[in-house]
Amino acid sequence: MRAAVIGSIILAAVMIGGTVWMGQSAHRDTSEVARSVSLLYMDELAGRRGQVVEDKLKDNINVIQVALSLLEEDDLRDLDHLRAYQRQIKQLFKLERFAFVDEDGLVYTADDGIRDEMDQYSFDQQTLSAPEISLKNAAGTEKKVVIAVPTRDREIRVDGKRLVACFMEIDMDVMLSGVSMKSQDSQTTFCNIYTADGIALSNMVLGGLAAEDNLLDALSHADYEEGYSYEQVRHEFSEGKRGVTAFTYNGVRETLSYVPVGGTNWLLTYLVRETVINDRISSVSNGIVTRSVIQSILIALVFFGMFAYIIVQNRKNARLMLEKETAEVKHQEMEQRLELQEQLLERKQELSEALAAAEQASRAKTVFLSNMSHEIRTPMNAIIGLDNIALNEPDVPEKVRGYLEKIGASARHLLGIINDILDMSRIESGRMIIKNDEFSFSGMLEQINTIISGQCREKGLKYDCWTTGKIDDYYIGDETKLRQVMINILGNAVKFTPEGGTVTLLIEEGKRYDRKAVLKMTFRDTGIGMSKEYLPHLFDAFSQEDASSTSKYGSTGLGMPITRSIVELMNGHIEVESEKGKGTTFTVTVTLGESDRTGNESDGVINPGELSVLAIDDDPIALEHAQIVLGQTGMTCDIAATGEEGLEKVKLRHARMDDYDLVLIDWKMPELDGVETTRRIREAVGSHMPIIILTSYNWDEIAEEARRAGVDTFVAKPLFAGSVMDQFREAFRRKTETKSAQRADLNGRRVLLAEDVAVNAEIMVMLLEMRGIEADVAENGRIAVDRYLAQPDGWYDAILMDMRMPEMDGLEATRAIRTSGREDAGTIPVIALTANAFDEDVQRSMQAGLNAHLSKPVEPDLLFETLESLIRREE
């Protein structure tokens, strides 16, 4: 009994002491981790919000530039016309003030006339040579952001006075709206913007803790931790450098991160109040220690009871003790089994919840990508549209034409970034598919060499491409994806190699097996290279060795992850070797199928690799066979298991104005057979698409009915690529003969354009005028419906409908037009012009009654082709 008491006391002392020691160590470690996480958190958020402020300032500078581009000679006829122009600009862009300054320093306002008040502004109109951002009333409570641009080179004169500068005022609260400058409810983090002199532009200094009105004054009274100093902070503020500092102010530990806002002398700061965090950590740690001490005492008592019980039982009977021990062992085994079952049930529940969370995250990502695509493609529509219009002007100077072509190239680059993001989404969700089409490897390589050699010449680089061994002219694989891999790597080599360097490509053939050929491609450059520490992260999404490469080289960090995923999907492998300052070598191996075709063979005017085919059959084996047979010729083959499914796929592609080149339909199918499916396809999309019936039966009995339904010809099963190509050539020849008669003349036509963005509407009107089309513009769906109903039947030849508009969107407006009861309500072509580019968006458009779905930015040729086709069909 004495041993039980002493042992329990020792056990309790050891457990309590150990618990206290572990709690204190955990508190110190947790505090250090909290500091590290805070630094990362602040630097990331400060950088992001600083970029948002910088982007908003750039957007407002662009607003002034756009406003000045709208200034016409008639607006400078006199002061009244100038003020009318200024009021229009203020109303159009929702500006607080939009004014000009003449050489004498007089300010020309829209509503207050000419005023002598340049002493309120810090910019000098005489020396202003570039856009300048400054503050008005910096020491007051109602601060204004002033953005001024020079107009001296524009020779703007009114009433004999030369206007040398133009500026706008923005209320600071309006400027910072959407930047989320408010502190969190927990009062642990605070975001603010200060000038280089420490003047706060929003919120309070140090989250309201400081008594001073100036940040630098407040920091001069703080006690700094080791490695930080007030002089360092003041120097970095004055130089506009990024930095971080840790200090104690009024007994409160705080960490401050700051980043410069480009184009200004402002710095965006992010403050974390570490005292609050440490207090909470201490509270949690103390609670854990207290509970652990109580637990240790209880455990010691339990052990004491067990020892006493065992001693008493030993004194009674050794045999009973043995039975007791045996029972305890069985009991423990039962408890372990029950505990294991409970753990399995809990694990199953966790997996179920994780699956539900993953599915929710996938749906959220789809919604996000749809919204992102819409929001980015909408302004890109304006950029590309204006660029196309300007390039079609006959008297554009060559220098300006060069600028316009670069604008177009930059816009297409941005669309490429969007496509990269969508590619990453497809890869992560497993929806990216590698095709097995026959393609000309020599032709593809020639195109790549033309592109890369041109880029190298422009940059002053040497480019060489060699092949060794037996390289075939044709292979079977995904030409588009393989080209994307090669251009991604070669494009990076050109981008990161300075002038005078070398870029080389070596292509070797590896082993052949089972009708497969392995190609090894080695890409070398003498560029800036990468450090060995960064190489393991090269293929991580959004990964960059140097954050400055984003602005210097235009890198997004998505090219290499996409490249590796494509290579792996092609049963290949990618390796990289690099040394800082000495260049990089990529080695890529891919597996392609062998092709029996040689460089001398040709299919005439029809290239199977360019054909897109839809096969409809209720037999899955027949569908698989069709994909294999047609895929061997290079055709892209989609499949549908029922007539209804095939009809929906045809409608979806037709709405995008990207019809299938050929449709193969099985005759004998349940519900909708081949003839009825053909009839419905013709009713939905017209007669321009070749349709071939596949059957193992004698088709003589249905030949006449099938041709009336729209069938072009018949092919007997089993399917052979040669017979399909022969029949397709004949059907294609017949379609081509009547193609020219199926287009309507657009000159003199009248369309109704529903578009809520004024710039996009103006661009679209100018595009339509290029083909002699007159356009009436409606600012939203409700106005579009009213204008349509106000005109007689047949007044409009077509309606161009934006999807996202205030008051009434495009889908609601289309439904209202289709159900209006007018004579032409069911036949007038309605075309969707929208940034919503997903299949679900196209299906909603079709269900609402739209005839076609064109994604923004709209290609003019595709728009005119769609109008010609739909107007002709209506007539």
Side-chain angles (χ1 to χ4, degrees):
M1 190 61 71
R2 186 181 299 107
V5 173
I6 295 174
S8 299
I9 293 174
I10 294 174
L11 177 63
V14 170
M15 295 182 67
I16 293 172
T19 299
V20 173
W21 175 75
M22 291 178 61
Q24 293 173 346
S25 300
H27 181 268
R28 289 194 299 271
D29 295 341
T30 305
S31 298
E32 292 176 1
V33 171
R35 163 64 68 83
S36 301
V37 173
S38 297
L39 290 175
L40 294 174
Y41 172 76
M42 287 190 302
D43 188 65
E44 175 70 14
L45 289 185
R48 289 187 181 178
R49 297 190 180 179
Q51 186 62 46
V52 172
V53 174
E54 183 177 340
D55 291 344
K56 295 193 73 171
L57 290 172
K58 289 180 180 179
D59 291 344
N60 283 290
I61 292 175
N62 290 335
V63 166
I64 292 187
Q65 301 290 2
V66 172
L68 289 176
S69 68
L70 297 176
L71 181 64
E72 300 178 352
E73 292 183 4
D74 188 60
D75 298 324
L76 300 173
R77 191 191 316 168
D78 51 38
L79 288 174
D80 291 337
H81 282 77
L82 177 62
R83 290 170 183 162
Y85 157 77
Q86 289 176 278
R87 285 191 290 271
Q88 290 177 354
I89 293 300
K90 286 177 60 180
Q91 181 179 6
L92 175 62
F93 294 105
K94 297 180 177 61
L95 302 180
E96 184 171 341
R97 195 173 206 190
F98 179 71
F100 290 89
V101 183
D102 66 11
E103 292 178 312
D104 298 329
L106 295 178
V107 179
Y108 291 68
T109 66
D111 302 313
D112 300 329
I114 302 175
R115 302 177 66 86
D116 184 9
E117 54 183 17
M118 279 302 294
D119 56 338
Q120 301 179 14
Y121 302 95
S122 60
F123 70 89
D124 186 351
Q125 79 279 4
Q126 297 292 350
T127 60
L128 187 66
S129 61
E132 182 175 318
I133 301 169
S134 58
L135 290 176
K136 178 182 178 183
N137 195 23
T141 58
E142 297 183 358
K143 298 178 179 64
K144 309 289 184 182
V145 179
V146 178
I147 302 177
V149 298
T151 60
R152 193 181 305 278
D153 58 342
R154 298 176 181 267
E155 288 298 328
I156 301 176
R157 294 180 181 272
V158 60
D159 286 354
K161 294 291 186 178
R162 185 183 184 191
L163 306 182
V164 296
C166 175
F167 69 91
M168 63 188 287
E169 290 184 13
I170 309 172
D171 187 86
M172 182 59 68
D173 292 338
V174 176
M175 178 66 214
L176 298 180
S177 63
V179 188
S180 187
M181 304 297 292
K182 294 183 178 179
S183 62
Q184 298 181 356
D185 294 337
S186 61
Q187 294 297 307
T188 57
T189 60
F190 305 88
C191 185
N192 205 343
I193 295 181
Y194 299 91
T195 66
D197 299 329
I199 298 174
L201 303 188
S202 66
N203 298 334
M204 296 173 290
V205 177
L206 294 182
L209 181 64
E212 296 84 355
D213 296 331
N214 185 287
L215 174 64
L216 296 179
D217 291 344
L219 292 180
S220 67
H221 301 130
D223 296 325
Y224 291 84
E225 295 187 11
E226 184 178 356
Y228 304 100
S229 67
Y230 172 72
E231 289 73 17
Q232 174 191 358
V233 176
R234 190 173 189 86
H235 173 72
E236 290 176 343
F237 259 65
S238 63
E239 296 293 328
K241 294 182 178 179
R242 188 183 193 126
V244 65
T245 186
F247 56 89
T248 300
Y249 183 89
N250 284 347
V252 179
R253 289 182 61 194
E254 299 188 301
T255 302
L256 182 72
S257 176
Y258 42 90
V259 296
V261 178
T264 70
N265 68 339
W266 306 347
L267 291 96
L268 187 142
T269 68
Y270 215 88
L271 179 75
V272 171
R273 190 152 290 163
E274 290 192 29
T275 297
V276 177
I277 297 176
N278 287 334
D279 289 344
R280 295 182 180 177
I281 292 175
S282 297
S283 176
V284 173
S285 300
N286 292 336
I288 293 174
V289 170
T290 300
R291 288 190 293 271
S292 299
V293 168
I294 295 174
Q295 182 182 14
S296 299
I297 295 174
L298 292 176
I299 292 174
L301 293 176
V302 170
F303 271 97
F304 173 75
M306 291 175 59
F307 292 153
Y309 180 76
I310 293 172
I311 292 171
V312 171
Q313 293 301 314
N314 280 334
R315 289 177 177 176
K316 289 183 177 179
N317 194 300
R319 183 177 58 80
L320 293 178
M321 176 58 72
L322 180 61
E323 294 177 356
K324 178 66 176 179
E325 290 176 354
T326 303
E328 286 181 354
V329 169
K330 293 182 179 180
H331 180 67
Q332 289 176 357
E333 291 179 353
M334 183 62 69
E335 286 183 343
Q336 290 176 353
R337 292 179 182 177
L338 292 175
E339 183 179 358
L340 180 59
Q341 290 179 356
E342 291 177 356
Q343 291 176 352
L344 291 175
L345 291 175
E346 291 176 357
R347 183 60 177 166
K348 181 178 180 181
Q349 179 65 25
E350 291 174 358
L351 292 174
S352 176
E353 293 174 355
L355 177 61
E359 292 173 347
Q360 178 65 27
S362 177
R363 289 192 293 270
K365 178 184 285 188
T366 300
V367 173
F368 165 75
L369 289 174
S370 176
N371 291 334
M372 181 202 68
S373 176
H374 175 272
E375 295 300 330
I376 296 180
R377 290 175 186 269
T378 296
M380 287 302 299
N381 179 58
I383 296 172
I384 294 177
L386 284 172
D387 189 70
N388 284 328
I389 291 170
L391 284 172
N392 279 279
E393 291 292 332
D395 55 350
V396 176
E398 285 302 318
K399 186 175 182 180
V400 176
R401 183 175 295 276
Y403 294 154
L404 293 173
E405 289 173 351
K406 290 178 181 178
I407 290 174
S410 297
R412 288 188 291 274
H413 174 68
L414 180 55
L415 287 177
I417 293 175
I418 300 171
N419 293 334
D420 282 348
I421 295 175
L422 296 178
D423 277 348
M424 283 300 298
S425 174
R426 295 189 184 100
I427 291 170
E428 292 173 354
S429 62
R431 291 188 288 114
M432 176 168 281
I433 300 174
I434 297 297
K435 300 178 182 178
N436 283 310
D437 301 332
E438 185 180 62
F439 68 95
S440 171
F441 183 80
S442 58
M444 180 196 72
L445 186 59
E446 181 179 357
Q447 295 173 3
I448 293 174
N449 286 339
T450 300
I451 295 171
I452 301 302
S453 61
Q455 295 178 357
C456 288
R457 282 195 302 271
E458 291 178 0
K459 197 173 179 182
L461 305 177
K462 180 182 178 182
Y463 174 66
D464 290 316
C465 176
W466 299 289
T467 61
T468 61
K470 181 179 177 296
I471 305 297
D472 295 344
D473 286 327
Y474 286 86
Y475 288 100
I476 296 176
D478 196 321
E479 177 184 8
T480 302
K481 295 293 189 297
L482 182 59
R483 183 191 291 110
Q484 183 178 354
V485 168
M486 298 177 70
I487 289 181
N488 272 354
I489 299 177
L490 288 170
N492 280 344
V494 174
K495 183 189 303 182
F496 295 105
T497 300
E499 183 178 356
T502 302
V503 176
T504 60
L505 168 60
L506 174 62
I507 303 176
E508 309 169 80
E509 186 179 68
K511 297 180 180 179
R512 291 180 179 252
Y513 63 95
D514 193 23
R515 298 288 295 173
K516 300 290 184 182
V518 177
L519 289 186
K520 177 183 178 182
M521 296 175 285
T522 305
F523 306 82
R524 291 190 177 93
D525 65 68
T526 59
I528 62 175
M530 294 171 283
S531 65
K532 296 188 181 300
E533 293 76 14
Y534 174 69
L535 287 179
H537 306 286
L538 173 63
F539 298 105
D540 295 344
F542 301 105
S543 172
Q544 297 171 346
E545 182 176 13
D546 183 0
S548 63
S549 64
T550 300
S551 57
K552 185 175 180 181
Y553 298 104
S555 174
T556 63
L558 286 176
M560 295 315 300
I562 293 174
T563 297
R564 183 179 69 172
S565 298
I566 293 175
V567 169
E568 291 176 349
L569 288 172
M570 300 176 74
N571 295 323
H573 182 65
I574 182 169
E575 296 178 348
V576 58
E577 297 178 0
S578 184
E579 186 173 348
K580 200 73 172 178
K582 294 187 178 181
T584 303
T585 299
F586 282 92
T587 304
V588 176
T589 58
V590 294
T591 305
L592 302 174
E594 292 183 350
S595 171
D596 296 327
R597 184 176 179 180
T598 65
N600 298 324
E601 299 178 10
S602 174
D603 280 315
V605 296
I606 300 175
N607 181 7
E610 300 175 351
L611 298 182
S612 177
V613 182
L614 174 64
I616 306 175
D617 200 316
D618 62 318
D619 184 358
I621 297 178
L623 290 177
E624 183 179 359
H625 174 70
Q627 282 190 307
I628 294 173
V629 171
L630 298 178
Q632 290 173 350
T633 69
M635 299 185 196
T636 301
C637 181
D638 292 343
I639 59 174
T642 65
E644 285 287 353
E645 182 183 354
L647 178 61
E648 288 302 316
K649 288 192 174 184
V650 169
K651 288 180 179 179
L652 190 64
R653 287 283 291 266
H654 182 70
R656 292 182 181 272
M657 302 308 295
D658 183 23
D659 290 315
Y660 288 107
D661 299 294
L662 174 65
V663 179
L664 302 175
I665 308 178
D666 181 39
W667 174 21
K668 295 288 188 179
M669 294 188 297
E671 298 181 2
L672 288 184
D673 63 13
V675 175
E676 183 59 27
T677 302
T678 302
R679 183 179 292 109
R680 298 196 183 184
I681 290 176
R682 294 301 189 202
E683 291 173 355
V685 303
S687 60
H688 63 284
M689 185 189 309
I691 298 180
I692 297 177
I693 288 288
L694 297 174
T695 180
S696 56
Y697 299 87
N698 183 357
W699 59 75
D700 292 340
E701 59 182 283
I702 63 161
E704 184 176 351
E705 178 187 2
R707 296 192 187 279
R708 285 198 304 268
V711 174
D712 291 288
T713 186
F714 300 83
V715 171
K717 289 184 177 181
L719 179 67
F720 293 96
S723 59
V724 171
M725 286 301 301
D726 291 339
Q727 295 297 333
F728 175 72
R729 288 190 183 94
E730 178 62 22
F732 181 78
R733 181 187 61 79
R734 293 197 300 269
K735 302 294 182 184
T736 305
E737 291 175 353
T738 60
K739 185 176 182 180
S740 59
Q742 297 177 350
R743 300 293 179 187
D745 183 10
L746 298 182
N747 188 37
R749 301 287 183 172
R750 183 184 292 107
V751 301
L752 175 60
L753 172 63
E755 173 62 68
D756 64 311
V757 180
V759 175
N760 286 348
E762 181 181 355
I763 293 169
M764 189 59 63
V765 169
M766 288 189 287
L767 284 174
L768 295 172
E769 287 177 349
M770 291 168 56
R771 292 293 297 270
I773 303 173
E774 179 184 348
D776 290 346
V777 179
E779 291 74 12
N780 58 53
R782 188 174 303 282
I783 296 175
V785 175
D786 293 340
R787 290 193 178 179
Y788 167 75
L789 296 176
Q791 302 297 340
D793 289 339
W795 179 261
Y796 293 112
D797 296 289
I799 299 175
L800 302 179
M801 186 73 70
D802 186 27
M803 290 293 98
R804 292 193 179 184
M805 295 183 291
E807 293 194 40
M808 178 182 289
D809 62 24
L811 297 178
E812 295 177 5
T814 302
R815 293 189 189 99
I817 290 172
R818 292 303 190 202
T819 58
S820 63
R822 285 167 49 110
E823 183 177 345
D824 63 345
T827 59
I828 184 171
V830 182
I831 303 169
L833 303 180
T834 175
N836 298 338
F838 286 73
D839 289 347
E840 296 83 355
D841 302 315
V842 180
Q843 292 173 349
R844 284 193 290 270
S845 298
M846 296 167 58
Q847 293 167 0
L850 283 98
N851 300 91
H853 185 105
L854 303 184
S855 298
K856 293 180 179 178
V858 178
E859 293 291 340
D861 292 341
L862 180 59
L863 172 63
F864 296 142
E865 180 182 350
T866 303
L867 287 170
E868 290 171 347
S869 175
L870 293 179
I871 293 175
R872 174 67 179 177
R873 186 186 306 172
E874 178 192 8
E875 294 174 347

